[in-house]
Amino acid sequence: MGQAAYVQIAGLLTSGHVAPGERLSLRDLAERLGTSTMPIRAAVGRLAEYGALEVSPNRAVRVPVMSAARFAELADLRQEMEGLAAERAAKAATADDIAVITRIEAEFASVATGASPDAARAVALNRDLHFAIYAAARMPLLEGAIERLWLLAGPVLNLDMRADPRRLANTPARRFHAAALAALRARDGAAARAAIAGDIAEAAAFILARRVLKEK
Amino acid sequence: MGQAAYVQIAGLLTSGHVAPGERLSLRDLAERLGTSTMPIRAAVGRLAEYGALEVSPNRAVRVPVMSAARFAELADLRQEMEGLAAERAAKAATADDIAVITRIEAEFASVATGASPDAARAVALNRDLHFAIYAAARMPLLEGAIERLWLLAGPVLNLDMRADPRRLANTPARRFHAAALAALRARDGAAARAAIAGDIAEAAAFILARRVLKEK
DNA sequence: TGCCGCCGACTGTGATCACAGTTCATAGTC
DNA sequence: GACTATGAACTGTGATCACAGTCGGCGGCA
């Protein structure tokens, strides 16, 4: 139901093509995607369900602005939930899972430190890496909940990545990713949780330190 | 957007008026609620977003059937997330929060052990009690995620409650609720988490033991 | 009697129109 | 020149119709 539109609009959010606070309109989106407003309405409604978009009657759809407090809670929740997924993944991961994760981790490291750092590609690979780990936990409900959290954080994360592309080259993420992978191999749930939580906490602290988020 | 329809259909799910596996139709629902199919489409789409309903093209909307494995993961996730909320609530709860929780707990105990046990009312009070605790954590994103989990469990929980109303009178829930309340008062996060997790685990074990859930 | 095929009823989905409420720029007033 | 009133453009929402795909029961065939 409006599946295609949902994917496209979600892509706009996670790729940072729309900024927090930006106003959208069903008719505009429909025209841009070459359909009627119906699939757009369905997709926007689903995205609004968990706060990825804000829609109020007779007013334009808005990409939610992220307050510092909201961002802090989001980072907090992500540490808990993604940490949990990593912990469970350490116990449930198969050899195939770990092989896939290893490959993605190597690719991310290569792109991040390479001569031509491709920010968009690095962001996508970072996402793939995280979700490859979570998929190994075999907890589809948890995975879905985490996906929704990422959609909430999407616009802000990309805003940050674009603002400071230099960070990509020597991102601390690589260290955390390596630690997570090692923990998965060792089936050390606590270490896996700590690595993922550390990754999230570090990135969140970096963004909060820039003080571009509204106080209230 | 279809807010009224959403509340009504969600009510059908949580109150157990529709059973897992049951087929619904947009036109039927629209007629029942006295509107066109539009608000229904919006509400059903939102509910389907996180799995509270299943909708496939040209096929009737279905209340998802809960496999034993899915139910186990749901119970697992609920223990983690609601346990987390309780833990944070123990640290963040105000005196007013605790007063409200105390009142609801007393009311639940009264209804559950009273001469005329009202199952529907007890279910509602149980829900109110849990969410009063989670609200005290001041984590709206977490609260929303938990609400969605409850909507997933709704049909099955009510099915169980109707099947065995005797359980209500001497439900172990009262013991866990009392422990949770005491933990909140003592600002003991770990104890609050344990109490809520215990409540959920006990209820889940009871339902799983009845073996009415499909294996696969 | 048992099985298969077909046709009608029913399904969600997309498009389009009408409508009430908001927003914003322009013109009028002091 | 600053401020307010006003109306046109734009917003999401609901209703209705058309359509392609699915499902179930009835009839025919072996």
Side-chain angles (χ1 to χ4, degrees), chain A residues 1 6 38 41 45-46 49-50 70 73-74 76-77 80-81 84 88 139-142 148 152, chain B residues 1 6 38 41 45-46 49-50 73-74 76-77 80-81 84 88 139-142 148 152:
Chain A
M1 205 247 307
Y6 181 89
M38 276 303 311
R41 283 166 71 170
R46 285 167 59 191
E49 169 61 19
Y50 48 92
R70 183 179 160 93
E73 188 204 337
L74 183 53
D76 184 2
L77 244 192
E80 293 286 347
M81 293 180 59
L84 171 65
R88 300 301 181 86
M139 297 179 73
L141 293 175
L142 176 56
R148 289 188 279 272
L152 292 185
Chain B
M1 206 249 305
Y6 181 89
M38 277 303 313
R41 282 166 70 170
R46 286 167 59 191
E49 169 61 19
Y50 48 92
E73 189 204 337
L74 183 54
D76 184 2
L77 246 192
E80 294 285 348
M81 294 180 57
L84 171 65
R88 300 303 181 86
M139 296 180 73
L141 294 176
L142 176 57
R148 289 188 278 274
L152 291 185

Side-chain angles (χ1 to χ4, degrees), chain B residues 41-55:
Chain B
R41 282 166 70 170
V44 166
R46 286 167 59 191
L47 287 163
E49 169 61 19
Y50 48 92
L53 285 177
E54 282 177 4
V55 37

Side-chain angles (χ1 to χ4, degrees), chain B residues 14-191:
Chain B
T14 56
S15 69
H17 278 87
V18 294
E22 186 171 338
R23 295 167 122 77
L24 305 175
S25 112
L26 298 187
R27 290 171 177 86
D28 274 357
L29 287 171
E31 197 173 1
R32 257 199 268 178
L33 301 186
T35 67
S36 80
T37 62
M38 277 303 313
I40 309 293
R41 282 166 70 170
V44 166
R46 286 167 59 191
L47 287 163
E49 169 61 19
Y50 48 92
L53 285 177
E54 282 177 4
V55 37
S56 15
N58 302 322
R59 215 165 310 196
V61 174
R62 212 175 53 137
V63 182
V65 296
M66 181 78 75
S67 72
R70 182 178 161 93
F71 185 78
E73 189 204 337
L74 183 54
D76 184 2
L77 246 192
R78 284 189 55 207
Q79 289 178 61
E80 294 285 348
M81 294 180 57
E82 299 180 36
L84 171 65
E87 181 180 326
R88 300 303 181 86
K91 292 166 189 162
T94 66
D96 281 353
D97 290 332
I98 293 185
V100 168
I101 295 166
T102 301
R103 185 177 52 74
I104 301 178
E105 196 271 338
E107 203 170 347
F108 175 82
S110 151
V111 169
T113 67
S116 60
D118 181 345
R121 185 156 161 68
V123 169
L125 280 169
N126 179 60
R127 188 200 150 92
D128 290 346
L129 175 56
H130 276 262
F131 280 96
I133 294 174
Y134 309 149
R138 302 286 134 77
M139 296 180 73
L141 294 176
L142 176 57
E143 207 176 334
I146 293 174
E147 265 170 32
R148 289 188 278 274
L149 291 184
W150 276 63
L151 227 37
L152 291 185
V156 174
L157 291 188
N158 270 277
L159 196 69
D160 179 67
M161 189 66 73
R162 296 188 164 209
D164 194 350
R166 288 175 299 116
R167 174 167 156 81
L168 188 59
N170 50 358
T171 175
R174 286 171 49 213
R175 179 165 54 85
F176 290 114
H177 290 174
L181 182 51
L184 291 185
R185 286 215 178 89
R187 302 222 170 282
D188 184 341

Side-chain angles (χ1 to χ4, degrees), chain A residues 81-101:
Chain A
M81 293 180 59
E82 298 181 35
L84 171 65
E87 181 179 327
R88 300 301 181 86
K91 291 165 190 162
T94 66
D96 282 353
D97 291 331
I98 293 185
V100 168
I101 295 166

